[in-house]
Amino acid sequence: MTDTALTPAQSMPVFRADGFVVSQGANLGDALSVADELMLDDIYALSADAQLVRLALHASDTTHMIVADGSDCGAAGAAIHLDCALTLMSPDGQITDAIVLVEVDDAGHIAEIYLLPLAALAPRTPYNLVGIDRDEARTKFAHLACARFTRGTHITMASGAQKPIEELEVGDRVLTRNDGVQEVRWVGQSTVRATGDFAPIRIRAGTLNNDRDLIVSPDHRLFIYQRKDRLGAGRSELLVKARHLVNGDSVTVQDGGFVDYFELLFDTHQIIYAEGIAAESMLIDTRTKPVLPDEVSSRLTAHTATGLSGLDVTESLLDRPDAAELLKRASSR
């Protein structure tokens, strides 16, 4: 298990609880609360002025997470607990899942409640609360935190052959950047609606010297070796989140429909090659571990990110339309 110092911050869009209020039902007028205080069939509405804010979190070495420095909301260092998963139904029968996150102070009291929607919520639309599930909250959240590739992504094998990720099996030998040939220990697969933070990012062929399009989950980190520090990061080795490269042209959000995601797990966190781009494998920490089957989780006693800590690039350095082009030039011979 990694500790907080080695765990990258994960940023996600949330609403503050006071922006999601019961418009009809037993708790009329009440803002979103924790599972014990919620009532099925209450109808909630998102206020017209409710704004998504980004909550940045680090995994902790315990069962909770902590607010990261630079988060748009929450107190840095405060504990965040996953309270429950909600199922909401709109008037047209559309189902939307959401997660309730609770920030607590040093005394263990609730300081703030957040709603993390897993699909877009429309202001002033009545949403019927039809499901409250504590057990599924961690698993649903874990899928957001995982580094995931999409169906059809070609992975470089030990032999140099390119193999679609959906054809990989436990025991297959994959080429890694730092540790040579490593065996696959687990392959995960899930199909989700491609919306919000589940919508994948497409990196068009040639953008980072890749031969084919690479499509990954938004927080999937790509490894870049700069031969010249064009970005101003102060180092040659970088980890860059796919979402921070979106420019509406060569790097785009693929919103809509459904997407098949795959996770690759090794004995340790690795950099592998996907469509020729160096990209991370699945990292096990407090956030992602619930995705694993029990028999796999029990075998992982020291899954680490050794050698990759401190390489994350801040979003501010990438907040420019030519960020992908700069990284391509920086990594070229």
Side-chain angles (χ1 to χ4, degrees):
M1 181 72 67
T2 59
D3 61 25
T4 299
L6 295 177
T7 304
Q10 179 189 6
S11 176
M12 62 208 65
V14 299
F15 290 107
R16 291 185 171 88
D18 58 9
F20 198 60
V21 177
V22 178
S23 58
Q24 296 180 47
N27 293 325
L28 181 64
D30 288 354
L32 177 72
S33 189
V34 295
D36 288 341
E37 299 179 3
L38 300 178
M39 294 290 292
L40 288 175
D41 293 326
D42 273 358
I43 295 177
Y44 285 79
L46 187 67
S47 64
D49 59 352
Q51 298 291 322
L52 283 169
V53 291
R54 296 208 73 89
L55 175 65
L57 300 176
H58 285 298
S60 168
D61 56 2
T62 60
T63 58
H64 61 260
M65 296 164 288
I66 61 172
V67 179
D69 290 337
S71 178
D72 291 343
C73 56
I80 295 283
H81 295 270
L82 295 176
D83 183 72
C84 62
L86 305 181
T87 304
L88 305 166
M89 181 183 292
S90 60
D92 61 0
Q94 185 75 38
I95 293 296
T96 299
D97 292 325
I99 296 173
V100 177
L101 303 169
V102 178
E103 178 184 347
V104 298
D105 60 23
D106 291 340
H109 300 138
I110 294 176
E112 187 70 83
I113 298 174
Y114 305 102
L115 180 70
L116 170 60
L118 302 185
L121 294 176
R124 297 177 177 170
T125 298
Y127 290 98
N128 191 353
L129 179 58
V130 297
I132 305 169
D133 193 326
R134 293 173 186 242
D135 295 333
E136 283 298 307
R138 300 197 71 82
T139 300
K140 289 180 182 296
F141 184 87
H143 281 296
L144 278 175
C146 288
R148 298 180 292 174
F149 301 94
T150 56
R151 179 179 295 276
T153 300
H154 289 80
I155 304 298
T156 302
M157 309 302 291
S159 64
Q162 303 295 303
K163 191 172 185 179
I165 193 167
E166 63 270 21
E167 296 181 9
L168 263 62
E169 298 178 350
V170 172
D172 280 353
R173 291 158 56 82
V174 171
L175 180 65
T176 73
R177 183 182 188 274
N178 296 326
D179 294 320
V181 175
Q182 294 292 309
E183 291 188 358
V184 174
R185 297 305 184 193
W186 180 73
V187 182
Q189 191 270 326
S190 60
T191 301
V192 299
R193 289 171 58 195
T195 184
D197 271 28
F198 282 117
I201 307 299
R202 179 187 295 272
I203 301 168
R204 196 175 63 198
T207 300
L208 293 175
N209 299 307
N210 45 312
D211 291 332
R212 293 162 40 98
D213 289 1
L214 174 65
I215 309 174
V216 294
S217 54
D219 279 328
H220 202 138
R221 294 181 300 167
L222 312 175
F223 179 89
I224 305 291
Y225 181 83
Q226 295 191 107
R227 300 178 185 278
K228 183 177 181 181
D229 187 12
R230 296 183 182 274
L231 198 62
R235 58 185 183 276
S236 58
E237 296 186 340
L238 310 175
L239 284 174
V240 178
K241 290 183 179 179
R243 73 159 73 248
H244 293 162
L245 297 179
V246 171
N247 55 23
D249 180 20
S250 60
V251 185
T252 55
V253 179
Q254 301 296 290
D255 190 89
F258 290 83
V259 59
D260 292 332
Y261 276 127
F262 292 82
E263 298 106 0
L264 281 185
L265 183 68
F266 300 89
D267 285 333
T268 55
H269 189 216
Q270 295 290 345
I271 297 296
I272 62 176
Y273 298 92
E275 306 297 0
I277 294 179
E280 68 175 331
S281 66
M282 185 177 178
L283 170 63
I284 301 303
D285 60 23
T286 306
R287 297 165 297 185
T288 59
K289 195 172 184 179
V291 166
L292 297 176
D294 290 341
E295 64 272 17
V296 176
S297 181
S298 64
R299 298 200 303 266
L300 294 171
T301 57
H303 193 80
T304 67
T306 303
L308 299 178
S309 62
L311 301 185
D312 287 275
V313 178
T314 60
E315 185 175 359
S316 60
L317 284 179
L318 296 164
D319 188 18
R320 48 189 300 168
D322 63 343
E325 177 60 26
L326 279 180
L327 291 175
K328 177 181 179 179
R329 288 161 49 198
S331 61
S332 298
R333 292 185 182 274

